């Protein structure tokens, strides 16, 4: 009885603690308040000189100094929240953040879903290329070239207008510029100040900016539509512009006097009514379906190719794991431990961005195409898991079977082929099916190298229409459809290998 009360008490305690945890992670806002309030500001600190991290992890940059100055003059506190640039507009729409400071250009399309402060910086997109590239001299010479851009940026939008170009999208600006340094892309379209700052600071040695600005843009501080803080931010910004603080910050980061800024944004903030009318959720999903299905096809190709190569390599390694020679056994084991013990994402980065950089540092020209890099990374990784499945499958067959086969006069290769392997395969199939499904989902990780598989296609659509819920729900459903299909195929295969045909399962 006492034990039962104890358990009940424990259960209540766990429940209570879970609720507390849940409550502490949710934030409830209780309407507009002005001074003394802490605003959550989104930023992506990979965009020097606007926002970046010091060696000790502190946020710094022109935008950060400006935001802090605005907060001080308008009397609110700031809490920065780091997030990817392409996630900011959805976060503002969902009101998980109060504003963002991220060198964000005021555009008509963005102004349909969020509201911008008055302009605080004059900017524009420029072309970056490698110093030794003589072919790219202006926008027209980008025709039929491979262009690197950061997802969801004005540079990415501009790249859509280049005839015949292959546009590769990366998650942030450093990755885009690294792809250019590695020779994976011919040119990058990015905000000019950012490229110039990178070249000047020595981090982007080997790059140059060609021709003049492709666009004229103004940065603004975005807030959710109808936000009560927009006015506060605008007032703070007006004050720092007037009292000389803005000019001080500008000189600190750029060493020159700031140019004249317009008081009003060239693009008016629009009312939110237009947005809800845009399209119904189902309409949005329907419209994006062909693109998503195209991505699903690429995901499938990638999975099948990597599984085939992974199974080939994995079977070999699995067999070597059982080899009598201890050295070979340890090599195979080392392989498995390394690829199983390090994140797949890190492996993808190492192969696509790291490997060419290392090879080039020895004076060779070498760049990996995305498909090759993705297939190599996925196959190497899945080979480690498949090796363990193969080893386990073979070891699970009782030694008596091999002895019996050999006493019947079968050679060891024949024993493996006709006795051990067919039985082991049946035991290996369920874990192999799991592996296939994991790999199918893991292909979404190669989006980081700009590979446009299913997930990336979804991200690209969201970067245009900002309807993250509908699009990611559709992406999830397509993945689910693919995994259900594969698990069906594997159970059929399993059944076909079963000598005692069962009706169930
Ligand atoms: N100014 C560009 C844009 O708004 C890029 C901003 C960024 O990458 N942080 O699209």
């Amino acid at each position: 009885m006492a034990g039962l009360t104890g358990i009940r008490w424990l259960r209540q305690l766990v429940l209570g603690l879970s609720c507390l945890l849940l409550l502490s992670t949710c934030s409830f806002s209780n309407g507009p308040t002005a001074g003394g309030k802490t605003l959550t500001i989104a930023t992506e600190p990979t965009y020097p000189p606007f926002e970046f991290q010091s060696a000790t992890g502190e946020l710094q940059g022109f935008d950060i100094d400006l935001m802090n100055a605005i907060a001080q003059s308008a009397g609110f506190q700031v809490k920065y929240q780091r997030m990817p640039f392409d996630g900011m507009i959805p976060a503002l729409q969902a009101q998980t953040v109060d504003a963002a400071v991220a060198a964000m250009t005021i555009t008509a399309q963005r102004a349909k879903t969020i509201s911008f402060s008055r302009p605080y910086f004059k900017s524009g997109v420029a072309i970056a290329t490698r110093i030794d590239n003589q072919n790219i001299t202006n926008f027209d010479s980008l025709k039929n070239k491979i262009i690197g851009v950061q997802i969801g940026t004005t540079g990415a939008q501009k790249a859509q207008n280049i005839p015949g170009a292959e546009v590769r999208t990366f998650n942030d600006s450093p990755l885009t510029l690294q792809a250019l340094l590695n020779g994976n892309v011919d040119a990058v379209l990015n905000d000019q100040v950012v490229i110039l700052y990178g070249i000047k600071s020595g981090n982007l040695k080997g790059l140059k900016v060609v021709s003049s600005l492709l666009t004229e843009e103004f940065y603004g501080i975005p807030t959710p539509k109808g936000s009560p803080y927009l006015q506060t931010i605008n007032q703070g910004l007006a004050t720092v512009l007037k009292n000389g603080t803005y000019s001080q910050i500008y000189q600190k980061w750029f060493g020159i006097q700031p140019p004249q800024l317009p008081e009003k944004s060239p693009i008016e903030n629009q009312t939110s009514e237009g947005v809800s009318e845009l399209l119904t959720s189902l309409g949005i999903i329907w419209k994006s379906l062909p693109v998503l299905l195209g991505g699903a096809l690429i995901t499938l190709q990638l999975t099948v190719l990597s599984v085939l190569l992974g199974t080939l390599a994995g079977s070999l390694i699995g067999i070597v794991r059982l080899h009598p020679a201890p050295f070979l056994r340890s090599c195979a084991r080392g392989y498995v431990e390394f690829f199983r013990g390090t994140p797949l994402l890190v492996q993808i980065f190492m192969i696509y961005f790291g490997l060419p950089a290392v090879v080039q540092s020895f004076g060779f020209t070498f760049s990996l195409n995305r498909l090759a890099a993705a297939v190599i990374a996925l196959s190497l990784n899945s080979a480690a898991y498949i090796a363990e499945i193969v080893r386990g499958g073979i070891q699970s067959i009782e030694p008596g079977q091999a002895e019996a086969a050999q006493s019947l006069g079968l050679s060891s290769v024949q024993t493996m082929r006709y006795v051990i392997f067919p039985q082991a395969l049946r035991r290996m199939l369920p874990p192999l099916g799991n592996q296939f499904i994991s790999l199918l989902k893991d292909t979404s990780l190669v989006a980081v190298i700009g590979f446009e598989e299913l997930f990336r296609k979804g991200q690209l659509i969201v970067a245009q229409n900002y309807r993250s819920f509908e699009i990611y729900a559709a992406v999830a459903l397509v993945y689910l459809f693919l995994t259900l299909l594969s698990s069906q195929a594997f159970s059929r295969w399993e059944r076909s290998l079963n000598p005692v045909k069962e009706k169930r399962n």
Side-chain angles (χ1 to χ4, degrees), residues 44 47 51 85 102-105 110 150 152-155 190-191 217 219:
E44 189 196 33
Y47 214 56
E51 39 270 325
F85 183 74
M104 191 181 283
T105 304
R110 290 174 182 163
Q150 183 190 343
T153 58
T154 43
N190 202 344
D191 292 2
E217 303 180 2
Y219 296 162

Side-chain angles (χ1 to χ4, degrees), residues 430-504:
L432 277 177
N434 278 345
Q435 181 55 31
F436 186 89
I437 288 173
S438 299
L439 193 69
L440 203 148
K441 292 182 292 174
D442 285 347
T443 51
S444 60
L445 290 175
V446 300
V448 291
I449 57 173
F451 203 89
E452 289 181 20
E453 39 61 71
L454 175 54
F455 174 61
R456 186 54 143 210
K457 292 269 192 212
Q459 273 188 313
L460 288 170
I461 300 174
V462 173
Q464 270 180 359
N465 67 7
Y466 310 119
R467 303 297 289 241
S468 39
F469 181 74
E470 289 91 341
I471 301 300
Y472 290 130
V475 167
L477 283 178
V478 179
Y479 272 115
L480 187 64
F481 175 73
L482 291 181
T483 53
L484 286 178
L485 212 69
S486 353
S487 67
Q488 269 297 319
F490 268 90
S491 3
R492 263 168 196 258
W493 189 9
E494 229 179 283
R495 253 180 291 150
S496 74
L497 288 181
N498 193 347
V500 189
K501 304 270 184 235
E502 284 175 31
K503 282 238 159 21
R504 295 190 320 127

Side-chain angles (χ1 to χ4, degrees), residues 15-170:
L15 207 74
L17 280 177
S18 318
C19 286
L20 252 171
L21 200 73
L22 206 70
L23 277 175
S24 66
T25 54
C26 300
S27 62
F28 298 101
S29 83
N30 44 2
T33 44
K37 171 107 184 138
T38 301
L39 300 198
T40 308
I41 312 282
T43 191
E44 189 196 33
T46 56
Y47 214 56
F50 294 100
E51 39 270 325
F52 58 106
Q53 257 179 205
S54 69
T56 51
E58 261 165 74
L59 278 179
Q60 57 183 37
F62 174 83
D63 279 358
I64 305 296
D65 283 352
L66 182 65
M67 193 71 219
N68 291 342
I70 293 173
Q72 203 180 16
S73 81
F76 61 84
Q77 312 285 318
V78 172
K79 194 177 108 207
Y80 289 103
Q81 191 167 317
R82 296 157 202 229
M83 65 172 66
F85 183 74
D86 65 316
M88 281 178 199
I89 295 181
L92 285 162
Q93 276 180 298
Q95 305 199 4
T96 33
V97 291
D98 297 309
V101 65
M104 191 181 283
T105 304
I106 304 171
T107 69
Q109 205 193 4
R110 290 174 182 163
K112 282 183 197 158
T113 46
I114 48 174
S115 296
F116 282 101
S117 69
R118 61 183 281 176
Y120 73 83
F121 194 88
K122 190 167 180 226
S123 169
V125 166
I127 305 167
T129 184
R130 283 182 302 280
I131 281 180
D132 54 7
N133 189 326
Q134 308 300 337
N135 307 327
I136 296 177
T137 48
N138 54 23
F139 189 69
D140 291 333
S141 59
L142 293 175
K143 236 185 254 171
N144 304 324
K145 296 280 190 300
I146 306 176
I147 314 295
V149 292
Q150 183 190 343
I151 189 166
T153 58
T154 43
Q157 218 156 16
K158 188 76 191 162
Q160 302 299 331
N161 306 333
I162 308 170
E166 187 192 324
V167 181
R168 297 193 180 168
T169 46
F170 297 88

